[in-house]
Amino acid sequence: DENALVSWDEAEQFIRLFHRENRDAGPVERRLEEVRAEIAATGTYVHSAAELTFGAQTAWRNASRCIGRLYWRSLVVLDRRTSGTAEEIFDDLVGHLRLAGGGPASRRRDVWSGSSRGDRRAEPDWTPPADARRVGRIRPVISVFAPARPGRPYSRVWNDQLIRYAGYRRADGQLVGDPRYVDFTEAMTRLGWRGKGREFDVLPLAIETPGDGVRLFELPEDAVLEVPLTHPEYRWFAELGLRWHAVPAISNMRLTIGGVHYPLAPFNGWYMGTEIGARNLADPDRYNLLPVIAARLGLDTTTETTLWRDRALVELNRAVLWSYQAAGVRISDHHTEARRFLAHVERERRAGRRTPADWTWIVPPMSGAATPVFHRYYDEADQRPNFYLDPPAR
Amino acid sequence: DENALVSWDEAEQFIRLFHRENRDAGPVERRLEEVRAEIAATGTYVHSAAELTFGAQTAWRNASRCIGRLYWRSLVVLDRRTSGTAEEIFDDLVGHLRLAGGGPASRRRDVWSGSSRGDRRAEPDWTPPADARRVGRIRPVISVFAPARPGRPYSRVWNDQLIRYAGYRRADGQLVGDPRYVDFTEAMTRLGWRGKGREFDVLPLAIETPGDGVRLFELPEDAVLEVPLTHPEYRWFAELGLRWHAVPAISNMRLTIGGVHYPLAPFNGWYMGTEIGARNLADPDRYNLLPVIAARLGLDTTTETTLWRDRALVELNRAVLWSYQAAGVRISDHHTEARRFLAHVERERRAGRRTPADWTWIVPPMSGAATPVFHRYYDEADQRPNFYLDPPAR
Ligand code: HEM
Ligand code: HEM
């Protein structure tokens, strides 16, 4: 319940965690006194920039479904708590996508804070800001907008990811585009959007603010890096006309830090290939391409025992990895990401911390047992800060 | 604790279940009285043949890790409760394997009981006994040996499956055979067994009885149906000299029915191909064949992004399915078995029953998301009767 006052227990727990892991942050008792007084007076409290950065990074560290957590310290945290209007929010989201995708940074501001500690250069993924304009050099970014305040309405984005493709049900019943977004696309259409009816139309952003209600914004082309899919061996693959976007940016999860809820805090990493090749383009209720690719490969699809699904799946995933690499867009394969995850678990263990993980999400959706993450158990604790799925905004 | 008296609660629950699902079994209250008196007098009670059959079948129905439960009613239950000596047990196990693999049945007895109800002919898998001698026509079978009785020792088999291959660590440190069974093989060697040191040597059965301690028995060749592996496209595959056995028969799980524990109750189904091709022959700590097959396929193994592991995995699994089919040995693929499992869940639902299932075991170890069992949640209850893993006998 976002209308409740901030829980003192959660606030205290977080402030102590922050000071335990950031020894240069000053005396914890003084900060606890401040926070206690602020909650008593206002029902909530305001995170310092360092607390916000650390809070978002540890929320990632605690995301038990995420295999990509090795680089949690390198998360770039954009403090957008003062952006109030739909235009400001839209401008920030465009800036986020540009920064995340290595495109030109936002016009309005490009202040950004990385790790709260001085050790970023030690991170394998750290690149100096000078590089920040190299398109395709995907970096993990989160934009944190205003927190929910007791009893007040707040801003949200209706989209579950900042970039997704429209889905259309044509008059003859045939589906075009991403079937998962047919309802959402219809909602956009009722709000006045006109999709082009193609397989890969980027959806508009639906930004809802207390002041303006919901408003739609079209993302500028240079904020939406996309990759056309080709195959290292099969020339016909390009003829399928497939593509996917470079930046997966989840925008429907609430960030919870020390009892404070940030209902709008979109974040992105880079893609693990299977998210595209083994889910978005392959699931029967998404683009459902395995039968199409199997037919092109000339496989016998009259019986399951030829493993035509598995063979088509592998070729689709080869194409994804190959195409992103050819386009210079950062992506990782599930074997590499699985190995990194185990390195993360081990590194955390050495730091005296447990790594909560959900086996059913960590194990990749293809070749599960061929990755090392399959062959072990994990802690399942719900540790905070963390990200939570809210009921849909619509 | 097998030494405890049988729990009346569990006994009652099972007897009521048996009568609820078997309306022709007579009045439940009378049977409950009998059982209560028997437990009071002896600390345990003896299942009727019909109870034993139904108990074993429902234990399979409740096995939440098993994807193959659609045909639970067709389980053939061999009542071996009176077999006491190691020779008798061995003879029964040989008979079990022959019957399960469609080979000639046991010499000593070939009495066997199927479903306790008259509806077996309605089961898709049912074949009349006349067929029982067709080799390769694998059928699900369980042999139930004597129950544990309070305070008395009982018989067990040390092997975790009736048929498994030896593993050897050679003087130069190289592993030959199945690495998982190196320790077990060494234990057998200490007991006097002499393995041939090859990749696929069938291990002896180690049968432990209160009377004789542990004794080793060599399985006769005609009880161990095996399939040499070839590939539908690649001729070189046969040169790898791979093979696997036809019948997976788990022998280290305790069957628990109505509070009575059967420590020796080996059971088998037919193989799902991935158990062989995505685990036994592929796991790094088993036969670890993906690098070997990738090399033969000429794949670039210097980077993970070629998905050489995934491609080798698919070809290995094609070979498994192809070879078993070519040999006339029943096997199923993970797509078919997944679809059957969902049919089972639905059929059970219509019968008013929940199907407890463990997602992490039900989802196949390859192409997880390409099978329909991936995309849903399951009940996780521990329902009895069931199978439980005991601490290793050694
Ligand atoms: C850096 C590269 C990253 C990779 C390769 C990666 C990989 C993944 C994958 C494969 C999933 C499962 C997605 C699915 O099956 O739908 C996932 C889930 C998740 N990741 Fe990451 N991730 C990355 C960065 C991040 C970042 C920066 C954050 C947050 C700051 C994050 C938070 C999460 C959360 C909360 C989930 C669960 C989403 C849900 O419940 O739907 N990840 N990640
Ligand atoms: C009829 C064909 C059958 C198929 C295709 C089948 C398939 C499977 C598969 C794929 C597994 C997972 C194995 C693993 O990953 O190690 C499994 C586990 C299991 N199955 Fe079945 N099964 C069959 C018959 C049976 C029968 C007849 C029983 C008992 C009467 C049974 C009881 C179990 C149990 C208890 C497990 C869990 C084993 C453990 O915990 O290690 N299954 N089954």
Side-chain angles (χ1 to χ4, degrees):
Chain A
D1 179 6
E2 267 99 1
N3 287 335
L5 303 195
V6 162
S7 139
W8 162 248
D9 275 0
E10 281 199 47
E12 180 182 12
Q13 221 181 343
F14 170 69
I15 298 294
R16 290 199 185 278
L17 178 73
F18 174 68
H19 283 260
R20 192 159 61 241
E21 296 195 25
N22 299 273
R23 292 294 175 184
D24 53 354
V28 63
E29 295 302 336
R30 189 177 336 137
R31 178 61 178 143
L32 282 173
E33 263 325 298
E34 265 175 37
V35 168
R36 192 197 310 269
E38 207 177 332
I39 293 178
T42 69
T44 184
Y45 68 108
V46 178
H47 287 128
S48 72
E51 286 164 359
L52 190 72
T53 296
F54 174 78
Q57 289 170 343
T58 48
W60 184 11
R61 188 174 85 192
N62 288 332
S64 44
R65 295 173 160 186
C66 180
I67 196 175
R69 287 178 273 168
L70 179 61
Y71 304 135
W72 65 272
R73 274 187 195 286
S74 72
L75 179 66
V76 174
V77 182
L78 300 174
D79 182 352
R80 302 311 196 201
R81 286 178 291 179
T82 59
S83 296
T85 68
E87 276 82 6
E88 282 173 323
I89 292 172
F90 174 65
D91 200 18
D92 288 340
L93 295 177
V94 170
H96 178 134
L97 288 176
R98 288 202 177 107
L99 180 65
S106 162
R107 280 144 298 170
R108 195 152 63 85
R109 0 178 162 84
D110 50 8
V111 188
W112 51 282
S113 66
S115 164
S116 58
R117 297 171 57 175
D119 61 358
R120 265 186 300 149
R121 259 158 308 169
E123 289 297 321
D125 256 13
W126 166 251
T127 41
D131 258 2
R133 272 156 187 71
R134 234 190 72 229
V135 173
R137 182 75 183 75
I138 313 288
R139 62 167 53 75
V141 177
I142 187 168
S143 295
V144 186
F145 290 88
R149 293 184 68 95
R152 301 223 220 130
Y154 50 84
S155 301
R156 278 176 73 175
V157 158
W158 285 12
N159 312 60
D160 65 357
Q161 294 204 14
L162 297 183
I163 306 175
R164 288 268 113 159
Y165 298 115
Y168 310 93
R169 191 186 310 278
R170 295 200 320 204
D172 62 0
Q174 210 197 309
L175 293 175
V176 175
D178 194 338
R180 176 161 165 177
Y181 294 98
V182 166
D183 288 351
F184 188 86
T185 302
E186 279 169 8
M188 296 300 100
T189 306
R190 281 194 299 275
L191 291 169
W193 186 67
R194 285 292 160 264
K196 297 222 169 83
R198 298 168 308 186
E199 288 286 355
F200 298 98
D201 294 335
V202 174
L203 284 162
L205 283 178
I207 301 175
E208 181 178 350
T209 56
D212 284 341
V214 64
R215 287 186 48 198
L216 303 194
F217 294 85
E218 205 72 56
L219 283 168
E221 267 182 33
D222 71 350
V224 185
L225 191 56
E226 286 181 285
V227 177
L229 300 189
T230 58
H231 190 283
E233 257 177 72
Y234 303 116
R235 288 185 149 237
W236 51 258
F237 202 97
E239 294 162 18
L240 299 175
L242 306 177
R243 54 200 294 120
W244 204 256
H245 52 91
V247 178
I250 295 183
S251 49
N252 66 342
M253 293 189 89
R254 172 168 48 93
L255 169 62
T256 297
I257 303 174
V260 176
H261 300 284
Y262 296 95
L264 181 55
F267 59 82
N268 75 278
W270 50 82
Y271 262 117
M272 181 162 90
T274 54
E275 295 179 76
I276 305 166
R279 305 297 314 278
N280 299 339
L281 293 178
D283 278 359
D285 58 355
R286 302 293 299 285
Y287 281 86
N288 192 23
L289 286 166
L290 299 188
V292 175
I293 291 163
R296 289 283 196 147
L297 287 166
L299 305 182
D300 176 2
T301 59
T302 61
T303 163
E304 295 290 355
T305 60
T306 58
L307 299 188
W308 62 268
R309 292 182 202 276
D310 311 71
R311 292 160 77 189
L313 184 63
V314 172
E315 297 312 333
L316 175 53
N317 279 275
R318 280 178 74 194
V320 168
L321 294 171
W322 163 263
S323 307
Y324 275 62
Q325 287 180 322
V329 172
R330 179 158 198 174
I331 194 164
S332 62
D333 66 85
H334 46 297
H335 304 287
T336 302
E337 214 57 65
R339 218 174 36 232
R340 282 187 190 145
F341 181 69
L342 293 186
H344 168 66
V345 172
E346 174 55 20
R347 196 195 274 186
E348 288 291 295
R349 197 191 57 74
R350 271 188 268 112
R353 291 189 294 260
R354 309 192 310 163
T355 297
D358 179 339
W359 193 97
T360 64
W361 282 67
I362 295 294
V363 170
M366 69 183 283
S367 307
T371 67
V373 290
F374 183 97
H375 304 276
R376 49 163 293 166
Y377 293 95
Y378 301 99
D379 278 328
E380 296 207 345
D382 175 34
Q383 296 181 171
R384 299 192 167 194
N386 215 322
F387 296 98
Y388 296 93
L389 207 58
D390 281 329
R394 266 173 311 120
Chain B
D1 179 3
E2 268 100 1
N3 287 336
L5 302 196
V6 162
S7 138
W8 163 248
D9 275 1
E10 282 197 47
E12 180 182 12
Q13 223 180 342
F14 169 69
I15 298 294
R16 290 198 184 280
L17 178 74
F18 173 68
H19 284 259
R20 193 160 58 242
E21 297 196 24
N22 298 275
R23 291 294 174 186
D24 53 354
V28 61
E29 296 302 336
R30 191 181 333 142
R31 177 63 180 143
L32 282 173
E33 263 327 298
E34 264 175 37
V35 168
R36 194 198 309 269
E38 205 176 335
I39 293 178
T42 68
T44 185
Y45 68 108
V46 178
H47 287 128
S48 71
E51 286 165 358
L52 190 71
T53 296
F54 174 76
Q57 289 170 343
T58 47
W60 183 12
R61 187 174 86 192
N62 288 333
S64 45
R65 295 172 160 186
C66 180
I67 195 174
R69 287 177 273 167
L70 179 60
Y71 304 134
W72 64 272
R73 273 188 196 286
S74 72
L75 180 65
V76 174
V77 182
L78 300 174
D79 182 351
R80 302 310 195 201
R81 287 179 289 179
T82 59
S83 295
T85 67
E87 276 82 7
E88 282 173 322
I89 293 173
F90 173 66
D91 200 19
D92 288 340
L93 295 177
V94 169
H96 179 135
L97 288 176
R98 288 201 177 109
L99 180 64
S106 163
R107 280 145 296 169
R108 196 152 60 87
R109 4 176 160 85
D110 50 6
V111 188
W112 51 282
S113 65
S115 163
S116 59
R117 296 169 57 175
D119 60 359
R120 265 187 298 152
R121 259 157 308 167
E123 289 296 322
D125 257 11
W126 166 252
T127 42
D131 258 0
R133 274 154 184 73
R134 236 190 70 230
V135 173
R137 184 76 183 72
I138 313 287
R139 62 168 51 78
V141 177
I142 187 168
S143 294
V144 185
F145 291 88
R149 293 185 69 96
R152 303 225 219 127
Y154 49 83
S155 300
R156 279 176 72 175
V157 158
W158 285 13
N159 311 59
D160 64 359
Q161 294 203 13
L162 297 183
I163 305 175
R164 288 267 114 159
Y165 297 115
Y168 310 92
R169 192 186 310 280
R170 296 203 316 207
D172 62 359
Q174 210 195 310
L175 293 176
V176 175
D178 194 338
R180 177 160 162 179
Y181 294 98
V182 166
D183 288 352
F184 188 86
T185 303
E186 279 170 10
M188 295 301 101
T189 305
R190 279 194 299 275
L191 290 171
W193 185 67
R194 285 291 160 265
K196 297 224 168 83
R198 298 168 308 186
E199 289 286 355
F200 299 97
D201 293 335
V202 173
L203 283 162
L205 284 178
I207 301 175
E208 183 179 346
T209 55
D212 283 343
V214 65
R215 288 187 44 199
L216 304 194
F217 294 85
E218 206 73 55
L219 283 167
E221 267 183 33
D222 71 350
V224 184
L225 191 56
E226 287 182 283
V227 178
L229 299 188
T230 58
H231 190 281
E233 258 178 73
Y234 304 117
R235 288 185 149 238
W236 51 259
F237 202 96
E239 294 162 18
L240 299 175
L242 306 177
R243 57 200 292 119
W244 204 256
H245 53 92
V247 178
I250 296 184
S251 48
N252 66 342
M253 294 188 88
R254 173 168 45 95
L255 168 63
T256 297
I257 303 174
V260 176
H261 301 285
Y262 296 94
L264 180 56
F267 58 83
N268 76 277
W270 50 83
Y271 261 118
M272 180 162 91
T274 55
E275 296 180 76
I276 304 165
R279 304 298 313 277
N280 299 340
L281 293 177
D283 278 0
D285 57 357
R286 303 292 300 284
Y287 281 86
N288 192 23
L289 286 166
L290 299 189
V292 174
I293 291 164
R296 288 283 195 145
L297 286 166
L299 305 181
D300 175 3
T301 59
T302 61
T303 164
E304 294 289 355
T305 61
T306 58
L307 299 188
W308 62 268
R309 291 182 203 275
D310 312 72
R311 292 159 77 191
L313 184 63
V314 172
E315 297 311 333
L316 176 53
N317 280 276
R318 280 178 75 195
V320 168
L321 293 171
W322 163 263
S323 308
Y324 275 62
Q325 287 181 322
V329 172
R330 179 158 199 176
I331 194 164
S332 63
D333 66 85
H334 46 296
H335 304 288
T336 303
E337 214 56 65
R339 219 175 35 233
R340 281 187 191 147
F341 181 69
L342 293 186
H344 169 66
V345 172
E346 174 55 20
R347 196 195 276 187
E348 287 292 295
R349 195 191 59 72
R350 272 188 269 113
R353 292 189 293 260
R354 310 192 310 163
T355 298
D358 179 339
W359 193 98
T360 64
W361 281 67
I362 295 294
V363 170
M366 71 182 283
S367 308
T371 67
V373 290
F374 183 97
H375 304 276
R376 50 162 294 167
Y377 293 95
Y378 300 98
D379 279 328
E380 299 206 345
D382 176 34
Q383 295 180 173
R384 298 189 169 195
N386 215 323
F387 294 99
Y388 296 93
L389 207 58
D390 280 329
R394 268 175 311 122

